[in-house]
Amino acid sequence: METNAKKPTLFSGIKPSGTLTLGSYLGAISNWTRYIDDYNSILCIVDLHTITVRIPPAELRRNSLTQLAYYIACGIDPEKCVLFIQSHVPAHAELAWVLDCYTMFGELSRMTQFKDKSAKNADNINAGLFTYPVLMAADILLYNTDIVPVGDDQRQHVEICRDIATRFNNICGETFRLPTAVLPKVAARVMSLSDPTSKMSKSETGDQSGCIFLTDSKDDIVRKFRRAVTDSEASVYYDEENKKGISNLMSIYSSITGSSFDQIANDFAGKGYGDFKLAVAEAVCDRLMPIQEKANALLSDKAYLEQVYSEGAARASALARRTLDKVYRKVGFVAKPRMGRMPEAGK
Ligand code: AQP
């Protein structure tokens, strides 16, 4: 896909830290597909971010390719966007270093995700976990991004990206466009079905009964929704404070079917929670089963996936290089010699 100067730019990505969840799908991926025709869409598998938490190498490789197949199966057409794997474009890590020098220790210390992940990984509070938002700022700023469609948990990271960009622009002169986070109207934070006070997360290793994975079988999906934690009132209406479980199920159902909360309450008036849970499960299965089938077919065609991520990396590299060169000039680095003019090794 050639980028079109008249269209605004969208950037987003997901860590291949596990199997994609209904949260990743409703909070991010399904939103990307809404914008793909009207934006230059730069979509990424952010593997560099993933190693802030320990993950076996074979698992990371497998997750990355599976995620690519699922992006495409969910409707991310590689002909309509730039689709690539983050580590294939070195400009991300290069810009992150420069931006590290324009980011304050104090502002990184306030990041909610850093505090959460540090608490969960007390034996591995590494510097990458701390500077994660700077790499994310580099991801976004490299492409002159206008919008970043993300779930609610990533809103703070887009805000710090704006702060870093503003600081750099003030010190070095106008360089970066300021991006805006775009959150879905419903299901911006899909909660665990077994504990509706905590977010549905793909790297949750403990009790997985609250998490719908995009690879789950129909039976597993129905079983998980049947067991979803709710209240004892048995009346379907939206109340995020007092009926967290039901409100979460209503958000999921609304996001998939397009029905408003009032409509749902109306449709299920006088029916028990059992009927509603089953309806949500069916809506989710109807959406996910064709995606799974398509993803499995794609995963058996490794050559095609390689072609997609290779072309994506070439396009992303060309776009990112322009911004990185500009940044290097602004901070005062001597222009890089052309490779052809470099002396041969040993001379
Ligand atoms: N439960 C969710 N509800 C709504 N949106 C969600 N997202 C993730 N979970 C939900 C959105 O999907 C994208 C995924 O980003 P990520 O994987 O890079 O990071 P994350 O937000 O930390 O996602 P996870 O699943 O919780 O990953 P782990 O467990 O590895 O930390 C983002 O746009 C996110 O908002």
Side-chain angles (χ1 to χ4, degrees):
M1 180 211 95
E2 293 308 317
T3 50
N4 176 340
K6 289 194 186 127
K7 286 187 181 176
T9 297
L10 170 160
F11 176 91
S12 201
I14 297 180
K15 293 192 296 277
S17 49
T19 305
L20 291 169
T21 71
L22 189 61
S24 346
Y25 176 71
L26 297 179
I29 304 173
S30 68
N31 224 11
W32 303 347
T33 59
R34 288 193 193 106
Y35 291 102
I36 204 162
D37 287 325
D38 300 321
Y39 283 75
N40 290 317
S41 298
I42 321 283
L43 297 168
C44 188
I45 288 152
V46 287
D47 55 351
L48 295 177
H49 283 278
T50 310
I51 60 167
T52 51
V53 172
R54 297 282 174 255
I55 178 166
E59 196 177 316
L60 176 55
R61 257 188 291 278
R62 190 175 57 244
N63 289 351
S64 299
L65 287 183
T66 306
Q67 196 164 301
L68 178 64
Y70 267 87
Y71 278 7
I72 301 170
C74 288
I76 305 300
D77 179 352
E79 298 295 322
K80 292 185 178 176
C81 65
V82 177
L83 184 51
F84 67 104
I85 298 175
Q86 185 188 28
S87 62
H88 293 175
V89 181
H92 288 250
E94 293 175 89
L95 181 60
W97 171 252
V98 176
L99 297 181
D100 270 334
C101 304
Y102 291 79
T103 306
M104 298 301 133
F105 185 88
E107 58 191 344
L108 288 177
S109 313
R110 289 192 289 276
M111 292 293 110
T112 314
Q113 184 171 294
F114 172 66
K115 291 182 202 162
D116 288 351
K117 296 267 178 201
S118 306
K120 282 185 190 156
N121 302 280
D123 56 345
N124 182 26
I125 306 177
N126 60 69
L129 200 58
F130 188 63
T131 58
Y132 182 110
V134 187
L135 178 58
M136 181 162 157
D139 300 338
I140 296 168
L141 298 175
L142 272 176
Y143 301 98
N144 290 314
T145 301
D146 295 281
I147 64 161
V148 189
V150 281
D152 183 53
D153 60 321
Q154 293 295 336
R155 187 205 305 251
Q156 198 185 29
H157 285 163
V158 180
E159 276 163 19
I160 195 177
C161 169
R162 290 173 63 93
D163 293 342
I164 297 167
T166 304
R167 183 176 299 118
F168 188 93
N169 286 350
N170 287 341
I171 297 170
C172 299
E174 204 56 31
T175 309
F176 296 123
R177 188 172 294 169
L178 298 191
T180 305
V182 175
L183 273 58
K185 288 197 180 71
V186 284
R189 185 179 284 260
V190 177
M191 309 306 276
S192 160
L193 303 187
S194 55
D195 173 11
T197 60
S198 63
K199 196 188 76 152
M200 188 183 282
S201 262
K202 71 175 117 53
S203 66
E204 219 41 76
T205 46
D207 170 28
Q208 299 194 336
S209 63
C211 187
I212 301 291
F213 297 103
L214 298 196
T215 52
D216 276 348
S217 69
K218 204 168 174 173
D219 285 351
D220 281 344
I221 294 173
V222 172
R223 184 178 45 80
K224 288 179 184 180
F225 275 106
R226 273 220 170 102
R227 291 188 188 160
V229 169
T230 47
D231 52 86
S232 53
E233 196 188 1
S235 170
V236 178
Y237 64 93
Y238 194 86
D239 177 350
E240 215 181 318
E241 247 344 277
N242 303 305
K243 292 167 76 71
K244 289 191 193 307
I246 279 295
S247 300
N248 187 38
L249 296 182
M250 287 179 81
S251 299
I252 293 170
Y253 191 70
S254 168
S255 174
I256 290 185
T257 62
S259 303
S260 68
F261 293 147
D262 283 348
Q263 252 172 303
I264 299 171
N266 231 8
D267 291 349
F268 290 90
K271 296 182 185 162
Y273 282 169
D275 284 355
F276 180 53
K277 287 177 174 178
L278 201 60
V280 184
E282 275 170 6
V284 170
C285 288
D286 287 351
R287 178 66 66 88
L288 295 191
M289 290 306 127
I291 292 176
Q292 253 181 44
E293 207 175 302
K294 195 163 177 205
N296 288 337
L298 286 163
L299 279 166
S300 64
D301 189 354
K302 294 278 181 322
Y304 171 71
L305 294 178
E306 188 177 339
Q307 181 199 330
V308 168
Y309 69 66
S310 305
E311 287 177 10
R315 289 175 188 145
S317 295
L319 295 167
R321 199 74 234 170
R322 278 188 236 159
T323 308
L324 190 68
D325 284 351
K326 188 171 168 189
V327 169
Y328 276 13
R329 267 199 316 278
K330 296 257 182 178
V331 297
F333 294 160
V334 172
K336 218 176 179 177
R338 284 172 188 274
M339 287 321 247
R341 287 168 48 203
M342 297 270 245
E344 282 171 38
K347 287 199 178 167

